[in-house]
Amino acid sequence: MPGVAAAQVADSGRFQLERTENGIVRLDTRTGAMSLCQDRDGNLICRMAADERAAYEEQLDRLEKRVKALEDKAGATGLSSSGENLPSDAEVNRSIGIMERFMRAFFGLVREFEAEDRAESSPPPRTN
């Protein structure tokens, strides 16, 4: 049964498989969850038990409520993932203009300091 061997190797011992008269029982050794599996055309098809399915759906419901609460909170604070809160082109251009003036002034100061440093470190001119 190649599907069973592949399932066991895939997660290095996480799942333990046991043959029964109704198919194969798969035990998740990390969580303790058990599933009933069937070998169909070389593929191992597993189904969750009813109580596992209920717990799974309950967890999904909790996560959906958390996501909705986060989306509502983001909407209330003006945050959006749709891009509608991005600055306009005019605002971007204004910001770039401010940064350009700042950088020109900054590098102008750097050039002045470099010129002063060169003047102080150069030897005085010779007089013959």
Side-chain angles (χ1 to χ4, degrees), residues 3 7 15 25-26 34-35 37 46 49 53-54 57 61 84 91 106 110 113 117 121 123:
F15 296 101
V25 174
R26 180 182 71 176
M34 294 178 70
S35 303
C37 304
C46 300
R53 183 72 182 180
E57 288 179 2
D61 289 341
E84 62 193 38
E91 291 170 318
F106 174 76
V110 169
F113 285 128
D117 192 39
S121 64

Side-chain angles (χ1 to χ4, degrees), residues 1 21 27 29 35-37 43 47 49 54 65 79-80 85-86 90 92 94 107 118 122 126:
M1 183 186 283
E21 63 275 356
L27 169 67
T29 58
S35 303
L36 184 59
C37 304
N43 294 316
R47 302 210 188 282
K65 288 175 185 173
L79 300 175
S80 172
N85 294 327
L86 294 175
V92 170
R94 181 174 177 268
F107 284 112
R118 279 193 301 271
S122 63
R126 288 186 175 169

Side-chain angles (χ1 to χ4, degrees), residues 8-64:
Q8 286 177 326
V9 173
D11 200 355
S12 62
R14 176 174 177 180
F15 296 101
Q16 183 178 347
L17 301 172
E18 193 68 40
R19 270 198 189 281
T20 68
E21 63 275 356
N22 297 330
I24 300 167
V25 174
R26 180 182 71 176
L27 169 67
D28 185 335
T29 58
R30 288 189 196 160
T31 66
M34 294 178 70
S35 303
L36 184 59
C37 304
Q38 304 245 326
D39 182 13
R40 293 191 188 148
D41 300 322
N43 294 316
L44 193 59
I45 309 297
C46 300
R47 302 210 188 282
M48 285 188 235
D51 57 340
E52 291 173 352
R53 183 72 182 180
Y56 174 76
E57 288 179 2
E58 188 177 302
Q59 178 69 6
L60 280 178
D61 289 341
R62 279 195 303 267
L63 291 172
E64 286 174 356

Side-chain angles (χ1 to χ4, degrees), residues 74-108:
T77 59
L79 300 175
S80 172
S81 61
S82 67
E84 62 193 38
N85 294 327
L86 294 175
S88 68
D89 287 345
E91 291 170 318
V92 170
N93 289 337
R94 181 174 177 268
S95 298
I96 289 172
I98 291 168
M99 287 303 299
E100 183 180 2
R101 287 193 306 271
F102 168 79
M103 294 301 286
R104 288 184 188 278
F106 174 76
F107 284 112

